[in-house]
Amino acid sequence: MAAILSAEHLAKSYTLKKLITDATLYIGEHDRIGVVGINGTGKSTLLKLLCGQEEPDAGAVMRRNGLCVSYLPQMPRYDEARTSVEQVLWDSPKDVGAPDAYEAKALLTQLGITDFDSDVRTFSGGQKKRVALAAALIRPVDLLLLDEPTNHIDAKTVAWLEGRLAAYRGALMMVTHDRYFLDRVCTRIAELSGGELYLHDGNFSYYLEQKAARLDMENAQARKRSAILRRELEWIRRGAQARSTKQKARIQRFEEMSAIEGPQTEARMTLSSTSARLGRKIIECENAGKQMGGRQLFSGFTYTILRDERMAVVGENGCGKTTLLRLLAGELSPDEGRVTIGDTVRVGFFAQEFPKVDPKLRLIDYMRDIAEYVQTPDGRFSASQMLEQFLFPPDVQYTPVERLSGGEKRRLYLASVLMASPNVLLLDEPTNDLDIATLEILESYLEGFEGAVVVVSHDRWFLDRVASRLFAFDGDGKLTQYVCSFSDYLEAQAAKEEAAKPRQESGQTAARRERPRELRMSYKEQREYETIDQKMAELQAKLEEIDAQIERHASDFVKLTELAGEKEKTERLLSEAEERWLYLTDLAERIEAQKK
């Protein structure tokens, strides 16, 4: 497959912080790549380098002539006074056919934006993201670069986006924390770690298996090298004299092996429950209701939150989920009914937006303003030690907040919430902008948290792990309770919508269905049919060459492992080509029979 974009040995730094040190990537015309990595490793920067918004400090990005690229930024900002429709038309790729207002309105409606006349600058961050997403998707392009496309959109819209990208024919590269999305949309995973890029074939689940195997291999090689070094060190300590050339060479080999760095261990955040004592009375809601902007968001909500509650609130954007959390936190009062909070309750409210702070404020001072120390099951932690637990080493703690990436700010905010030792956690879209590694640790933390947890999220993977009870907004201000996983709830809702669709067909539609469809090959299928024999022959020849190399390198463990992986991939490609050959041959025979 020909590369439409290639990036070789890219490097990029900001002030003293080295983000990308050596990244090489080739994107084919039908690649679907998901980018993963810890917050602050340069995922968003990589997309900006590829689309040309920023220039690398070293290395080069080469694009095919006439390549049309569409880029969705993580945090779109709008300065001009434009309506949502005007903004979509303004931001859409200029090197393809210009879309019209009707197409823009249709796409905005599918993304949940129906206000076509208001100034986009008055929109929320989530609404701006949807407008930017519409601009990125409105025209087919050669390469789509999407930075956190699932942030701030509800599960129904995520499912719509999943289907649209699954049908997309061009190349796709995206940064996202949505693990179900990565599994279903992407066929390659690019992991950015330590400034370098590691490419893995397959979806996210297969990537996890490959990464585990790679780390095991690196550790095995390190153990083998360590054993050799110990043996050589004993030889040197026995007083071996470097009189012969052979002895000098052996000592030189020892020095060279000693200089080799072992496998880099990823920094990982570890969290222990820091909750304060919780009494018997937690939070009680009795016929609670709330209006906002003259609209009834919900009413008649009655429920008592228990000590070990694991509850999720789900529904479409704007239905009132955040408002309900603010009622439970005591930030708002209900318009009807009552919400009672127990005396021993200490609420930790993790909101969608990072709190407004002085951008020049240093990280360590931000944490000390909350508490100097926090008591955990692992001991007493200072503000500095707590920051280290959240992957902010001492040399970073004295930098201002404004230098942090969006994901790093979310991680800092989470640290500050837990620093206050809450015993009830209210999490509003906690998965937005957090990297997958941090999400996995947060999920494990919540499993051991000795207190109540109420979460608002559209992340299916996160909710499936965290919540055992759901309250869903049903559209008319009522909250319906479900005791099941979020995935089971979505499947039940989809089945209900499918059952509600009309089953009758018009006579014209039925007649069209009865009419047999004429068999024919598309242009692409015809070209594939003409070349597939040659493709299978080339793959077979490649397998034979790999087998020959395996025989030649029988004693080289590292090379054998590399060849085994290459052989497995080639065998898979050959198997897929053979299946495709069977299908095309059968289709060609049926077309010939149809002509007769």
Side-chain angles (χ1 to χ4, degrees):
M1 185 188 300
I4 61 173
L5 183 147
S6 60
E8 297 183 352
H9 305 295
L10 296 184
K12 185 68 177 179
S13 300
Y14 291 108
T15 59
L16 299 177
K17 185 176 181 180
K18 292 184 177 180
L19 280 182
I20 301 172
T21 56
D22 187 11
T24 295
L25 173 72
Y26 302 96
I27 301 178
E29 56 187 6
H30 300 300
D31 272 342
R32 315 174 76 77
I33 304 171
V35 185
V36 300
I38 294 174
N39 289 136
T41 55
K43 301 186 298 294
S44 296
T45 299
L46 177 62
L47 292 195
K48 292 175 183 177
L49 293 174
L50 297 182
C51 74
Q53 279 206 358
E54 295 192 11
E55 292 297 322
D57 299 332
V61 178
M62 289 157 284
R63 305 172 185 87
R64 187 181 69 187
N65 287 337
L67 181 71
C68 182
V69 180
S70 186
Y71 169 61
L72 171 72
Q74 184 179 4
M75 297 293 290
R77 291 189 177 92
Y78 301 118
D79 298 323
E80 299 293 330
R82 300 189 185 96
T83 66
S84 58
V85 173
E86 290 170 343
Q87 192 67 52
V88 169
L89 300 179
W90 178 270
D91 281 345
S92 61
K94 302 297 187 289
D95 31 9
V96 291
D100 57 32
Y102 175 80
E103 292 174 292
K105 288 179 180 179
L107 190 52
L108 284 168
T109 301
Q110 290 175 309
L111 286 164
I113 300 289
T114 55
D115 185 350
F116 304 135
D117 300 319
S118 297
D119 186 342
V120 178
R121 291 178 300 182
T122 65
F123 283 14
S124 67
Q127 288 173 315
K128 289 179 180 178
K129 187 65 173 275
R130 289 162 183 260
V131 172
L133 187 55
L137 297 175
I138 198 166
R139 274 286 179 264
V141 293
D142 301 314
L143 174 61
L144 261 178
L145 299 174
L146 307 178
D147 197 351
E148 296 288 6
T150 61
N151 273 7
H152 306 291
I153 60 177
D154 55 45
K156 187 175 181 180
T157 310
V158 169
W160 171 87
L161 179 60
E162 198 175 280
R164 182 160 183 126
L165 293 180
Y168 173 68
R169 294 184 176 275
L172 166 68
M173 186 171 182
M174 66 177 177
V175 174
T176 182
H177 62 262
D178 191 318
R179 288 155 284 185
Y180 280 139
F181 205 75
L182 284 169
D183 250 2
R184 294 168 181 171
V185 174
C186 297
T187 55
R188 295 175 73 197
I189 300 296
E191 177 196 2
L192 195 55
S193 177
E196 296 188 23
L197 205 61
Y198 299 91
L199 274 297
H200 304 264
D201 289 326
N203 63 6
F204 181 69
S205 296
Y206 188 56
Y207 147 75
L208 292 178
E209 296 174 11
Q210 288 182 304
K211 182 180 179 182
R214 176 179 55 117
L215 294 177
D216 286 344
M217 185 184 299
E218 289 177 355
N219 289 329
Q221 291 171 348
R223 287 194 298 269
K224 182 179 178 181
R225 187 169 63 250
S226 178
I228 295 172
L229 283 171
R230 282 197 302 271
R231 189 180 66 220
E232 295 297 291
L233 184 59
E234 288 174 4
W235 175 78
I236 289 175
R237 284 174 174 171
R238 283 199 301 267
Q241 299 299 315
R243 282 177 285 188
S244 69
T245 304
K246 182 180 286 189
Q247 288 171 327
K248 288 180 180 179
R250 187 170 178 178
I251 293 173
Q252 185 178 352
R253 281 198 306 272
F254 171 78
E255 292 173 346
E256 290 172 353
M257 290 182 70
S258 300
I260 297 174
E261 293 185 4
Q264 297 296 311
T265 303
E266 284 186 355
R268 287 191 61 81
M269 186 174 69
T270 56
L271 294 176
S272 298
S273 176
T274 61
S275 60
R277 186 186 69 84
L278 189 60
R280 295 179 63 183
K281 188 175 183 179
I282 316 300
I283 301 176
E284 296 177 354
C285 300
E286 185 177 341
N287 291 320
K290 187 67 179 178
Q291 292 184 3
M292 294 289 281
R295 182 167 67 95
Q296 186 75 40
L297 295 178
F298 56 88
S299 61
F301 178 58
T302 299
Y303 187 72
T304 298
I305 295 177
L306 305 177
R307 178 195 296 269
D308 57 352
E309 189 71 71
R310 295 294 183 271
M311 184 177 105
V313 182
V314 300
E316 296 183 357
N317 293 119
C319 63
K321 301 185 298 296
T322 297
T323 301
L324 177 59
L325 281 196
R326 294 182 66 193
L327 251 67
L328 298 180
E331 291 186 1
L332 294 176
S333 299
D335 296 328
E336 56 190 66
R338 63 183 181 86
V339 176
T340 307
I341 301 174
D343 294 334
T344 60
V345 169
R346 293 175 62 175
V347 173
F349 190 5
F350 186 64
Q352 287 194 41
E353 302 295 331
F354 187 77
K356 290 183 178 180
V357 298
D358 179 359
K360 304 296 182 184
L361 185 68
R362 301 180 302 181
L363 274 60
I364 186 67
D365 296 328
Y366 175 76
M367 290 293 282
R368 284 173 176 164
D369 286 346
I370 298 163
E372 287 283 347
Y373 296 93
V374 60
Q375 191 68 38
T376 79
D378 297 330
R380 195 172 184 236
F381 278 62
S382 67
S384 177
Q385 290 171 318
M386 193 68 170
L387 282 171
E388 286 191 65
Q389 291 290 304
F390 281 79
L391 307 185
F392 294 110
D395 59 331
V396 174
Q397 294 176 11
Y398 288 86
T399 59
V401 172
E402 65 182 353
R403 290 192 186 174
L404 300 182
S405 69
E408 287 174 315
K409 286 181 180 178
R410 293 287 283 175
R411 197 181 335 131
L412 175 65
Y413 183 23
L414 180 61
S416 70
V417 170
L418 299 183
M419 186 78 181
S421 299
N423 48 31
V424 173
L425 277 174
L426 305 178
L427 308 176
D428 194 359
E429 295 289 1
T431 63
N432 283 354
D433 300 322
L434 284 182
D435 58 75
I436 291 172
T438 305
L439 286 177
E440 289 171 347
I441 301 301
L442 177 59
E443 289 161 1
S444 298
Y445 170 84
L446 293 178
E447 286 177 2
F449 180 69
E450 297 180 354
V453 179
V454 182
V455 57
V456 167
S457 179
H458 303 299
D459 189 310
R460 296 158 290 180
W461 192 305
F462 182 78
L463 289 183
D464 282 350
R465 278 207 60 183
V466 169
S468 56
R469 186 188 308 274
L470 305 175
F471 277 93
F473 281 81
D474 60 11
D476 60 356
K478 297 294 182 183
L479 282 157
T480 305
Q481 183 177 175
Y482 298 86
V483 183
C484 64
S485 71
F486 187 49
S487 289
D488 289 341
Y489 163 76
L490 290 176
E491 288 179 12
Q493 292 300 109
K496 187 186 297 183
E497 291 177 7
E498 186 64 28
K501 290 180 180 178
R503 296 293 180 185
Q504 294 183 346
E505 295 181 329
S506 67
Q508 186 179 3
T509 303
R512 279 202 304 270
R513 289 203 170 192
E514 290 173 5
R515 215 168 31 238
R517 185 173 67 89
E518 182 183 355
L519 288 173
R520 61 185 180 86
M521 279 190 182
S522 67
Y523 174 77
K524 182 180 177 181
E525 287 174 330
Q526 184 64 42
R527 292 284 298 161
E528 189 178 5
Y529 182 56
E530 293 168 358
T531 59
I532 197 163
D533 285 323
Q534 181 184 348
K535 180 180 180 181
M536 288 192 296
E538 290 172 353
L539 288 170
Q540 188 61 53
K542 185 176 181 181
L543 272 178
E544 293 171 1
E545 172 61 24
I546 291 172
D547 286 335
Q549 288 190 52
I550 287 174
E551 290 182 10
R552 289 198 298 271
H553 299 90
S555 60
D556 188 337
F557 174 74
V558 176
K559 185 66 175 178
L560 279 177
T561 303
E562 179 185 331
L563 289 170
E566 190 175 351
K567 182 177 180 180
E568 181 184 351
K569 180 181 176 181
T570 306
E571 286 175 339
R572 187 171 70 250
L573 291 173
L574 180 58
S575 176
E576 291 171 357
E578 288 171 345
E579 289 180 11
R580 189 65 178 162
W581 176 82
L582 286 171
Y583 165 76
L584 292 170
T585 302
D586 178 64
L587 179 58
E589 289 174 355
R590 285 189 288 148
I591 290 172
E592 282 300 315
Q594 178 180 264
K595 291 178 181 177
K596 295 176 182 178

